[in-house]
Amino acid sequence: MTEKETLFHEAKQFITACYHELNKPDIIEERLKEIKSEINRYGYYEHTYEELAYGARVAWRNSNRCIGRLFWRSLHVFDARHLATEQGIYEALLNHITYATNEGKIRPAITIFKPQIKQEPQVRIWNHQLIRYAGYETENGVTGDPASLSLTRACQEMGWKGKGSRFDVLPLVIQVQQRPPKWFEIPEELVLEVPIRHPEYDWFEDLNIKWYAVPIISDMCLEIGGIHYTASPFNGWYMETEIGARNLADTFRYNLLPEVAKRMGLEISRNASLWKDKALVELNVAVLHSYKQDGVSIVDHHTAAEQFKQFEQQERDSGRKVTGDWTWLIPPLSPATTHIFHQTYENRILKPNYFYQDRPYE
Ligand code: HEM
Ligand SMILES: N/C(=N/c1cccc(CO[C@@H]2CCNC2)c1)c1cccs1
């Protein structure tokens, strides 16, 4: 099949499914005629806002690794396909951060920029997440987030200067077509953060750790009906284990378990004391306590699993088979205490969906 035939084939599958689910079967034929001639003329076609919003929401519903899919219908969709300058895109990203943060009552949203045209990306955001901490190589180890080392280096090469602290928010790095990328600071007042403290251990705040409120994934590609939206940042709220069992706990991230265990007076020289497990639980208790006390949306892994169980039932009631990636759906803390651990999921990849794409730097 030629490129145009392949594209029309993808479009036909999407448009048919879309308008059947939206209860508008009669417009499918007419719409497919329009798209066919658009593809023949321009080599691509444009989605209506309704198709775009439906595609982004169903892509979330099809995200096999996501435990938070119960709320897939409530995704707020910003259409930013008309923006062509780095400045305009920067302002749309600030708008997304503000809307999503909502002073802590987080609203799931996605902002969709101009899609790839004939294999040429129009917009790329170099950040993995819009808000994330820098990582610096120093003579005595890494300061900040080791996961950000390469992007931090790229930003410094573009002239960005970080303060060198453990929690420097990286700038937004926006690339339009093949032009050199431009970086922009996020105004501090837009970045909501939560200092981590513990409900019983007063010494916990002396660790001086915090985390940001809103996770906004900005490096994945949203594919809808053969169209690739290479810049489509989306946010939800955190599940506490992402912060307390991974970002702050992994030895190759902030590696805080030994410090927490020492301050708890645990015997860290003997595995069988289960000091890592005890420190892990208290770190996650602290994350939940801090976010809740500050009125910032967060979900614990037990509630998230129950919500996912509701999602499974809802999908069955809608006549759809649930697909999932068990290895990611089970939480990293006490996985066997959730129903997910005790069942299996078919990891079939459906479209629309969110996909990894090559990093534009390194
Ligand atoms: C509303 C609250 C949400 C929660 C609590 C949630 C929770 C999670 C968690 C815990 C993961 C695993 C992440 C990891 O282990 O690193 C995940 C993965 C994922 N989520 Fe959700 N999610 C939410 C909303 C969303 C939204 C709004 C979207 C997109 C519109 C989304 C798309 C995805 C995708 C694509 C992945 C897989 C990422 C990868 O393969 O690296 N999620 N989610
Ligand atoms: N809570 C979340 N968690 C994540 C969702 C998707 C991806 C990630 C981070 O994935 C990284 C790549 C592999 N693990 C870390 C985290 C959300 C972010 C954006 C919407 S919901």
Side-chain angles (χ1 to χ4, degrees), residues 60 63 65-67 234-237 239 242 299 328 354 356:
W60 180 8
S63 297
R65 293 173 160 177
C66 182
I67 195 171
F234 58 82
N235 78 278
W237 50 78
M239 181 162 82
E242 299 180 78
V299 64
W328 275 59
Y354 297 96
Y356 288 162

Side-chain angles (χ1 to χ4, degrees), residues 7-106:
L7 178 53
F8 183 69
H9 178 68
E10 292 284 334
K12 188 164 184 228
Q13 285 183 289
F14 168 67
I15 291 295
T16 309
C18 171
Y19 287 112
H20 276 302
E21 202 171 326
L22 294 174
N23 263 325
K24 299 179 178 176
D26 340 35
I27 66 164
I28 292 175
E29 195 179 344
E30 182 53 37
R31 184 66 183 119
L32 285 175
K33 263 199 209 104
E34 272 171 27
I35 289 172
K36 191 170 199 126
S37 73
E38 225 177 307
I39 291 175
N40 285 332
R41 213 157 149 210
Y42 306 114
Y44 90 107
Y45 74 102
E46 210 163 286
H47 290 125
T48 64
Y49 176 78
E50 188 182 33
E51 292 161 356
L52 190 72
Y54 165 84
R57 291 175 182 133
V58 169
W60 180 8
R61 189 180 78 197
N62 291 338
S63 297
N64 289 350
R65 293 173 160 177
C66 182
I67 195 171
R69 289 181 270 170
L70 178 62
F71 307 105
W72 68 271
R73 283 185 197 77
S74 64
L75 183 69
H76 184 83
V77 179
F78 289 110
D79 183 355
R81 292 175 289 171
H82 57 288
L83 296 175
T85 67
E86 294 86 350
Q87 181 63 35
I89 292 162
Y90 167 61
E91 287 160 13
L93 294 178
L94 296 189
N95 173 66
H96 185 129
I97 292 170
T98 306
Y99 175 85
T101 304
N102 191 27
E103 298 181 332
K105 193 157 179 26
I106 294 172

